[in-house]
Amino acid sequence: MNNPNHIAIIMDGNGRWALKQGLLRNLGHNKGSEKVREITIYMAKRKDVSYLTLYAFSTENWKRPKKEVDFLILLLNKYLKKEEKTYTENNIKFNTIGDLKAFDIKTINMIEELKEKTKNNTSLTQTLALNYGSKNEIARAFNSIKNKQDINEEDISNALDTKDIPDVDLLIRSGGEKRLSNFMLWQSSYSEIFFIDTLWPDVEIDEIEKIIKDFVKIHRKFGNI
Ligand code: IPE
Ligand code: IPE
Ligand code: MG
């Protein structure tokens, strides 16, 4: 009966949330970013959850119309600037996974500055997956260890972007789709997975709380009996 140490969320459904009420998709992303703050602060206040990883932008999301991609990057920049105090006031360490090289230098600098400023914070490590795709991450990892002999599982884990964070205990996807969309394939190999229909901007803490309660009841056997 253990609480999840690492919770990861595929935050899906922003676009549909907006369209449902006759708004532009981008307004759904705005609303979704407010939800990021709310859920992150909640997890920081819970003493038993140490890691929260949020899928914010995938390696596949570049396929979206340029206007939406540009908006998402603008939103990320605004978020990094505006939320600094959320991290400091709540003792949250900021981290990222994904290939940051795709972003412009201004964004990269803001990301690195926030990481530096929050590196000693201890209530929660919040990891944003930015230009993240599991296959891309694994390919980069293989390249970084290609000269090594007899590669074992630990070598691979240590070459992934997640080398400093443990595997995912509880994976939640909002928005009704039942797929992983290239998210943490290695790190979720033994996660408990919950798919919920609620669109990300509508997800409430009570629903997450209920999932955690259900998670705690699961007998995680890891192949044992
Ligand atoms: C998830 O919401 C956010 C990102 C992928 C950036 P979507 O934008 O995928 O929302 P839907 O799935 O179209 O509703
Ligand atoms: C997954 O959502 C990516 C993020 C939440 C950032 P998508 O909406 O991009 O995934 P698909 O296209 O439905 O698989
Ligand atoms: Mg989607």
Side-chain angles (χ1 to χ4, degrees):
M1 300 280 268
N2 280 324
N3 280 311
N5 182 43
H6 183 181
I7 298 179
I9 307 180
I10 301 172
M11 309 182 289
D12 196 24
N14 290 349
R16 278 165 287 160
W17 181 89
L19 294 178
K20 228 175 67 181
Q21 38 215 305
L23 304 170
L24 294 172
R25 288 179 55 86
N26 287 344
L27 287 166
H29 295 312
N30 261 336
K31 203 76 187 161
S33 77
E34 288 168 21
K35 199 48 86 170
V36 168
R37 184 203 311 120
E38 182 190 334
I39 301 288
T40 301
I41 293 174
Y42 170 72
M43 291 299 171
K45 297 215 155 98
R46 278 190 78 110
K47 289 280 163 285
D48 47 4
V49 177
S50 303
Y51 299 89
L52 174 69
T53 301
L54 302 170
Y55 205 5
F57 192 87
S58 77
T59 46
E60 286 70 35
N61 286 147
W62 298 103
K63 291 178 197 159
R64 294 186 179 203
K66 186 175 181 303
K67 262 175 104 167
E68 180 161 338
V69 171
D70 287 349
F71 182 86
L72 286 167
I73 293 174
L74 195 76
L75 188 61
L76 170 65
N77 283 302
K78 278 195 349 210
Y79 175 90
L80 292 165
K81 199 184 273 170
K82 200 170 108 206
E83 299 302 334
E84 189 188 314
K85 65 173 189 323
T86 298
Y87 291 85
T88 45
E89 284 171 10
N90 295 281
N91 194 20
I92 300 163
K93 179 174 170 174
F94 174 70
N95 180 43
T96 64
I97 54 173
D99 193 354
L100 296 181
K101 283 199 301 292
F103 299 106
D104 68 25
I105 188 71
K106 186 178 133 231
T107 305
I108 296 173
N109 285 342
M110 284 171 76
I111 289 170
E112 295 308 336
E113 271 169 36
L114 190 55
K115 281 185 189 171
E116 181 60 31
K117 280 186 186 143
T118 63
K119 68 178 182 198
N120 295 321
N121 289 352
T122 54
S123 70
L124 179 80
T125 297
Q126 184 230 46
T127 301
L128 289 189
L130 299 171
N131 188 32
Y132 177 85
S134 233
K135 290 186 173 182
N136 169 279
E137 178 193 35
I138 290 169
R140 284 185 287 109
F142 278 23
N143 271 304
S144 73
I145 55 176
K146 62 175 181 252
N147 297 324
K148 220 172 148 58
Q149 306 255 303
D150 298 325
I151 292 171
N152 60 29
E153 290 182 17
E154 205 186 335
D155 295 326
I156 297 174
S157 286
N158 288 334
L160 294 171
D161 297 347
T162 47
K163 59 180 175 303
D164 297 322
I165 56 183
D167 279 354
V168 178
D169 297 302
L170 169 58
L171 174 63
I172 301 168
R173 179 174 186 140
S174 64
E177 309 288 357
K178 295 181 181 62
R179 56 174 167 259
L180 297 179
S181 301
N182 201 10
F183 185 58
M184 296 204 129
L185 303 182
W186 175 277
Q187 300 87 341
S188 295
S189 57
Y190 246 113
S191 304
E192 305 302 331
I193 307 182
F194 287 72
F195 296 102
I196 57 175
D197 288 332
T198 315
L199 305 171
W200 174 247
D202 283 334
V203 171
E204 296 294 345
I205 283 163
D206 282 356
E207 190 167 14
I208 305 273
E209 195 54 49
K210 192 184 164 300
I211 292 171
I212 295 175
K213 284 210 169 75
D214 288 342
F215 170 94
V216 169
K217 288 187 213 139
I218 298 169
H219 179 205
R220 301 181 78 198
K221 300 197 286 294
F222 297 102
N224 208 330
I225 54 168

